[in-house]
Amino acid sequence: MQLTMTLPRREYVSQGAIPQEVRSLTEQDVTAVGRLYFESYPPGTVEDEMEAIADISAALNGEYGIFLPDQNLVYEHDNEIVGCIMVVDSPPMG
């Protein structure tokens, strides 16, 4: 299963800038990535921001399959997470 999240187009995208840093997703990123998830997906994908944050936490805790730390990345621009790639192995759903 792969879940890719990016914020809606903002000024840094229109200026042609690319994220300044790519690094592994950590527990400290759960809230920021959950907010990103909520903001970037169509309405109704998750009920609210708290549900989105809980989903990200569940993924890190292995509830959606084996969490692969080296393959889960966040992209930062000006110290803000603006994109995330999450990957798990052996998801419990089809």
Side-chain angles (χ1 to χ4, degrees):
M1 180 176 103
Q2 178 177 335
L3 173 62
T4 304
M5 298 174 279
T6 58
L7 281 173
R9 188 176 194 131
R10 288 191 182 172
E11 184 176 322
Y12 60 82
V13 174
S14 63
Q15 293 176 351
I18 59 172
Q20 297 169 342
E21 185 179 346
V22 177
R23 61 175 176 75
S24 294
L25 173 67
T26 67
E27 286 283 337
Q28 290 78 21
D29 300 320
V30 168
T31 299
V33 172
R35 288 181 177 146
L36 176 64
Y37 172 28
F38 181 70
E39 291 176 17
S40 65
Y41 271 70
T45 303
V46 289
E47 186 173 324
D48 56 29
E49 197 172 87
M50 293 307 295
E51 182 180 342
I53 292 168
D55 273 353
I56 300 304
S57 182
L60 266 70
N61 291 323
E63 293 181 35
Y64 297 126
I66 300 166
F67 181 74
L68 306 169
D70 295 340
Q71 296 179 23
N72 288 267
L73 306 172
V74 294
Y75 301 87
E76 291 185 326
H77 181 77
D78 290 336
N79 297 315
E80 177 185 8
I81 295 174
V82 296
C84 179
I85 297 173
M86 296 186 73
V87 180
V88 298
D89 189 15
S90 304
M93 59 288 255

